[in-house]
Amino acid sequence: MDRTPSGAQEGQDRLTRRRLRLRCRGAVQGVGFRPTVYRLATAADLKGRVWNDPGGATVEIEGPIELVRAFAEDLPQSLPPLARLDDMEICEIDVTGDEEFKVVVSEGGRLTGAAVPPDSALCQACRSDMENPRDRRFAYYFTTCTDCGPRYSLVLSLPYDRPSTSMACFPLCPECLEEYSDPGDRRFHAEPVCCPACGPRLWLADSSGAVLAEGGESISAAAAGLDRGEILAVKGLGGFQLACRADDPSAVKRLRDRKQRPSKPLAVMVADLEKAKEMVSLDSSDQEMMASPRCPILLAAWRESAPVAPEVAPGMTDLGILLPTTPLHEMLMRSVAAPALVMTSGNASDEPICKGNREALSHLASIADAFLLHDRDVVRRVDDSVVRSTPDGPFVIRRARGWVPKPVGLPHAYSEPILAVGGHLQVTAAIGRGNEAILTPHVGDLDTEEARLFHREAIEHLEEFLEVRARVIVADAHPDYPSRWLAEELAERRDGRLVLVQHHLAHGAAVLGEHGRFPLPGENALILALDGTGWGPGGSSWGGEWIVLAGDLGWRRVARLQPLPLIGREMAVREPWRVAVAALLQNDAGALIRQTPMAKMLNAETLAQVSDLVHRDSWPQASGAGRLFEACGALLGLSVRNTYEGEAAIRLEAAVKGRADSWPEIEIDLEKRELPSAALLTAAARRVIDGESVSRVAAGFHATFCRLAAELTRQIEGKESGINTMVAGGGCLANRHLRSGLVDAGLKELLLSRQIPPGDGGLAYGQAVLAASCLHRVLDPERLSTPITPAAL
């Protein structure tokens, strides 16, 4: 309906006019929100103004009462692509008689609710500008507008205006200033906007920093080097990436050798969606995700005809693939002859991604042959996000670029900020503020001092950005995690409060929080935690647990996987064949060991020594599902040693080809409430020895595990009162066959994570959920690390 006023309406008495103030909260800065408001207001001939403020944005709109009310109703449905409106407070104020609608200077002050959107991939309109020879941004590698480009990685503070970003040192030329100042232009207040006349400088350097080429020629020279098999370091949105030809085995091997990453899968970048469909199988939801502003790495089924060297992802049936994320990547992909480029994090092994030019030249000089650099600073390190394709749509494995700093809801608000520091592997941290949590980008494993410094940096940057200083610090209960040491230090230094949370309880809470199903008083939730290893009560090793969480936050373990000995302790985590050997001996099946595929991959003397150790010492017992799946992968000869976390289990999943029936010979003692891990591994050994293919054994192992887990879950559900929600969380839920298998086995109502990583990347969010709920209800936080009854299992 055309709501533009007629001439008669324009002359109506001031008494029929109204002025409303709309306080808008959410992602409304740096996303074209103010230009959208301007266009809507001027189209309806309404007067007033709009500006950014510490809470988000404020609109004052004046005109005939019907049009003003219609504007307020229409605004939430008229947002630009990157905007998100979480709340809009409306109040009537005095009419001022404004004669036009203006976009005015931002208001400073203490941050209360403003949010900057995540970094966004190149939009189609900017891509069209780059493809138009008559456009002044033709082939320009920093093209951007209000609908795309850097945001979180570029901003120093809020409100989000150019002086508060790393673009402050690039004065706008007259043409860019005209676009930036025109509310009708899509580059109106696009803070990173620039052109060849006024934007950052691009150049190609060798590993010593010497300039080899500048401007557009640097892209041509970089592409030529890649086509020759060289390794290139590229400065992206949130830091550096390392690239090489994906179809050149020798180039991939050099990258692996230099990066000290022997077998962990690498991602590849292709020019467009049509090329992606030639590489992997994509359904409509996959394609939509890849082409979205988030533009993550998508793990999808690898096509055999794909021109990608097997060395890119050895032993895998999935390939990680992504589209160009920036105009620079777009130009690079147009310039190379290679059908795809490996595009992996720009860091040495176990170090954080590099973000500065000097840092990259220092840390990556022994890896990269050349560096594609520019002088727009990356303020915050933000790695690529990773999602995985499933028939039910993609789910998040690693949450970073494209997602951060979008908040996630908390079931309860607490009166002061909460800092949750995460665990030890795949670490993120989270800040709870009111009824939402904001997660840091992916940090990684905390095995090195560099990684621990990055963890601290990520927390400090997020606190500075949100203008909070948390005094409630939440950590994993494991006493030897560096994240806990940091939490203890911060709590003491800030005269704050340390809250410890049991690892697998936090995994379950993350899923409950994501789905808004955290139990209320009088309700119970059943958590199926399928994880690697986590600290259990009394120092026990957990990881395959059924936990009942009550609405009063009391919790108890009610079932588990049968624990298996960790022969050699931590060495058994790196060498899962040790767990397989122990399981067979524990199940009186030691005679099978030398007939299994794993025996052919091991030194006979070492195998005999470890077999002798099983009954000699009191080894730690671990109930972790990750240990069980890794042991099966080792037993089948897929990987006897993990060169990266979970490798043997990941290869076991990749070995599955098609469906298989559950093994009927394996039954579960429901009264004992313990899934028979040793019997399951023994059955796998017998079947592969009897000539069943590794692929079929792998499929049968998954099917049988899922059947047993479902039977045990149903038995618990029938015996425990008040269970109204079932969730599954933990690192094993990254396994596509496990996710679908549990549902197919009868757990139709089982909730799984989708926007929060199922593994330790989502742990900090689960910690924040539990701490906020506990403190909101004024309960003793000690209950979050201690079950209400001693574990009977």
Side-chain angles (χ1 to χ4, degrees):
M1 178 184 294
D2 183 4
R3 296 189 174 104
T4 303
S6 66
Q9 287 175 315
E10 291 178 330
Q12 64 187 307
D13 189 271
R14 282 176 64 93
L15 294 177
T16 67
R17 296 173 68 84
R18 293 291 186 272
R19 187 178 183 93
L20 298 182
R21 176 176 290 153
L22 315 179
R23 292 192 180 278
C24 303
R25 303 294 177 257
V28 292
Q29 295 189 16
V31 293
F33 179 77
R34 289 175 297 169
T36 296
V37 169
Y38 176 88
R39 287 191 288 271
L40 289 173
T42 54
D45 199 25
L46 295 170
K47 317 305 179 184
R49 58 185 186 147
V50 60
W51 67 94
N52 284 342
D53 61 40
T58 298
V59 182
E60 290 185 0
I61 195 78
E62 182 175 321
I65 186 169
E66 296 85 359
L67 298 181
V68 167
R69 288 174 176 169
F71 176 92
E73 291 173 4
D74 291 348
L75 181 58
Q77 284 73 49
S78 306
L79 300 176
L82 300 183
R84 188 190 74 252
L85 190 58
D86 296 332
D87 184 51
M88 187 170 72
E89 296 177 8
I90 304 175
C91 67
E92 187 169 337
I93 58 176
D94 292 340
V95 172
T96 64
D98 284 346
E99 296 181 355
E100 61 181 329
F101 192 90
K102 295 180 180 179
V103 178
V104 297
V105 176
S106 296
E107 176 187 300
R110 182 170 178 78
L111 183 67
T112 58
V116 166
D119 299 306
S120 177
L122 184 69
C123 72
Q124 187 54 50
C126 285
R127 184 175 287 107
S128 297
D129 291 345
M130 294 173 63
E131 294 171 349
N132 182 1
R134 293 184 297 276
D135 194 288
R136 65 194 186 93
R137 292 187 177 86
F138 173 64
Y140 182 53
Y141 28 83
F142 294 116
T143 301
T144 185
C145 72
T146 53
D147 293 338
C148 68
R151 296 292 189 276
Y152 181 68
S153 63
L154 170 112
V155 65
L156 294 160
S157 62
L158 293 175
Y160 178 69
D161 288 310
R162 194 177 181 96
S164 301
T165 74
S166 58
M167 288 298 293
C169 56
F170 297 98
L172 292 166
C173 68
E175 288 180 283
C176 284
L177 182 59
E178 183 177 353
E179 294 173 327
Y180 184 84
S181 305
D182 180 3
D185 195 288
R186 82 172 201 276
R187 293 191 167 94
F188 174 71
H189 275 265
E191 309 307 344
V193 70
C194 59
C195 73
C198 62
R201 185 170 66 95
L202 180 73
W203 70 97
L204 184 71
D206 64 18
S207 57
S208 71
V211 176
L212 302 175
E214 294 186 273
E217 292 181 1
S218 62
I219 297 176
S220 302
L226 286 166
D227 286 332
R228 291 193 301 269
E230 293 181 358
I231 297 168
L232 177 71
V234 187
K235 191 174 186 179
L237 276 176
F240 278 80
Q241 296 160 308
L242 292 165
C244 72
R245 287 189 70 131
D247 61 345
D248 183 345
S250 60
V252 176
K253 184 178 186 304
R254 279 197 300 279
L255 176 58
R256 286 194 175 281
D257 290 346
R258 294 179 185 181
K259 192 173 161 69
Q260 298 178 36
R261 183 171 170 165
S263 56
K264 190 174 183 179
L266 302 166
V268 301
M269 179 177 284
V270 293
D272 52 45
L273 203 51
E274 291 306 310
K275 291 287 194 305
K277 289 189 280 190
E278 295 174 7
M279 302 284 179
V280 294
S281 298
L282 300 174
D283 64 21
S284 58
S285 62
D286 296 332
Q287 294 177 46
E288 183 180 349
M289 177 63 79
M290 288 193 71
S292 73
R294 286 171 164 169
C295 194
I297 296 170
L298 176 79
L299 300 176
W302 193 344
R303 294 190 186 277
E304 291 184 5
S305 59
V308 175
E311 291 81 0
V312 168
M316 297 295 104
T317 52
D318 271 12
L319 178 67
I321 194 163
L322 79 160
L323 300 179
T325 51
T326 71
L328 180 57
H329 290 88
E330 185 89 11
M331 294 305 303
L332 187 62
M333 292 308 302
R334 293 182 191 178
S335 303
V336 293
L341 295 177
V342 166
M343 197 67 65
T344 189
S345 302
N347 57 349
S349 182
D350 297 325
E351 291 185 4
I353 182 174
C354 295
K355 69 171 185 174
N357 294 342
R358 292 177 183 173
E359 179 187 10
L361 286 166
S362 171
H363 287 250
L364 305 179
S366 61
I367 301 175
D369 299 303
F371 292 75
L372 194 54
L373 306 172
H374 58 76
D375 55 357
R376 184 182 72 198
D377 288 343
V378 174
V379 176
R380 291 178 174 81
R381 305 175 207 267
V382 187
D383 213 335
D384 292 321
S385 293
V386 180
V387 302
R388 191 165 196 193
S389 170
T390 74
D392 297 325
F395 68 94
V396 175
I397 295 284
R398 185 169 81 189
R399 193 176 188 273
R401 179 187 51 76
W403 272 265
V404 173
K406 182 180 179 181
V408 188
L410 291 173
H412 297 96
Y414 185 54
S415 58
E416 59 179 285
I418 294 171
L419 168 62
V421 299
H424 183 70
L425 302 175
Q426 305 169 33
V427 169
T428 61
I431 291 177
R433 184 184 64 172
N435 63 352
E436 62 185 22
I438 298 92
L439 278 67
T440 68
H442 169 79
V443 171
D445 302 347
L446 301 185
D447 290 324
T448 65
E449 186 60 29
E450 291 85 355
R452 295 166 195 172
L453 289 172
F454 176 30
H455 184 219
R456 186 185 293 265
E457 171 193 297
I459 290 169
E460 290 173 351
H461 276 197
L462 189 58
E463 286 194 319
E464 289 171 6
F465 181 70
L466 298 175
E467 296 182 5
V468 301
R469 184 177 171 84
R471 295 179 62 252
V472 177
I473 317 294
V474 193
D476 194 281
H478 199 305
D480 295 329
Y481 277 0
S483 58
R484 175 168 168 180
W485 304 341
L486 174 60
E488 291 171 340
E489 174 199 322
L490 292 176
E492 182 177 2
R493 182 148 47 90
R494 298 178 181 186
D495 192 24
R497 184 177 195 176
L498 178 67
V499 176
L500 301 179
V501 175
Q502 201 280 325
H503 189 91
H504 303 104
L505 187 65
H507 276 309
V511 186
L512 291 165
E514 178 183 338
H515 288 277
R517 297 287 294 274
F518 201 82
L520 299 172
E523 296 179 341
N524 288 326
L526 178 60
I527 297 168
L528 173 51
L530 300 176
D531 199 35
T533 300
W535 185 264
S540 55
S541 182
W542 284 18
E545 325 300 325
W546 281 255
I547 296 170
V548 173
L549 172 64
D552 65 359
L553 298 183
W555 61 277
R556 55 201 169 88
R557 181 173 70 171
V558 295
R560 67 177 178 180
L561 270 61
Q562 176 191 7
L564 298 173
L566 297 180
I567 310 302
R569 293 179 169 81
E570 283 299 313
M571 194 173 291
V573 177
R574 296 189 296 272
E575 299 181 358
W577 65 269
R578 294 168 175 264
V579 179
V581 166
L584 294 181
L585 288 168
Q586 185 171 297
N587 208 45
D588 296 326
L592 301 177
I593 293 174
R594 293 188 180 276
Q595 303 174 62
T596 62
M598 73 175 170
K600 300 172 184 176
M601 304 175 69
L602 296 167
N603 177 278
E605 184 178 351
T606 302
L607 188 61
Q609 289 173 346
V610 170
S611 298
D612 289 342
L613 287 173
V614 171
H615 301 296
R616 286 193 181 183
D617 291 298
S618 178
W619 299 106
Q621 302 283 314
S623 58
R627 304 288 82 84
L628 173 61
F629 278 75
E630 287 175 353
C632 187
L635 186 148
L636 297 180
L638 297 168
S639 179
V640 294
R641 294 177 179 84
N642 288 329
T643 65
Y644 58 89
E645 186 200 359
E647 179 177 3
I650 292 170
R651 286 180 179 256
L652 177 70
E653 181 194 356
V656 175
K657 305 289 192 299
R659 303 178 71 89
D661 293 332
S662 173
W663 300 333
E665 69 269 26
I666 307 298
E667 297 181 351
I668 189 168
D669 182 349
L670 293 176
E671 293 306 313
K672 191 177 181 182
R673 289 193 177 182
E674 188 174 88
L675 193 147
S677 301
L680 194 53
L681 289 170
T682 302
R686 292 190 191 282
R687 285 171 176 268
V688 76
I689 290 168
D690 288 344
E692 198 168 308
S693 70
V694 167
S695 172
R696 187 163 179 79
V697 173
F701 183 88
H702 279 81
T704 307
F705 179 90
C706 290
R707 170 180 62 83
L708 297 173
E711 289 176 2
L712 187 49
T713 301
R714 287 300 181 208
Q715 194 262 2
I716 294 168
E717 186 184 28
K719 294 288 184 71
E720 300 287 337
S721 62
I723 291 176
N724 65 332
T725 304
M726 287 194 298
V727 301
C732 294
L733 273 304
N735 182 320
R736 186 187 290 126
H737 301 307
L738 192 54
R739 290 173 75 95
S740 61
L742 289 168
V743 175
D744 292 344
L747 302 181
K748 304 295 184 187
E749 66 275 44
L750 185 69
L751 298 178
L752 303 169
S753 62
R754 300 212 70 85
Q755 296 300 316
I756 299 294
D760 285 5
L763 198 68
Y765 172 63
Q767 292 171 345
V769 166
L770 288 163
S773 299
C774 186
L775 297 173
H776 170 82
R777 299 177 188 179
V778 199
L779 299 171
D780 183 0
E782 187 175 341
R783 66 180 56 209
L784 300 181
S785 60
T786 307
I788 55 175
T789 57
L793 297 169

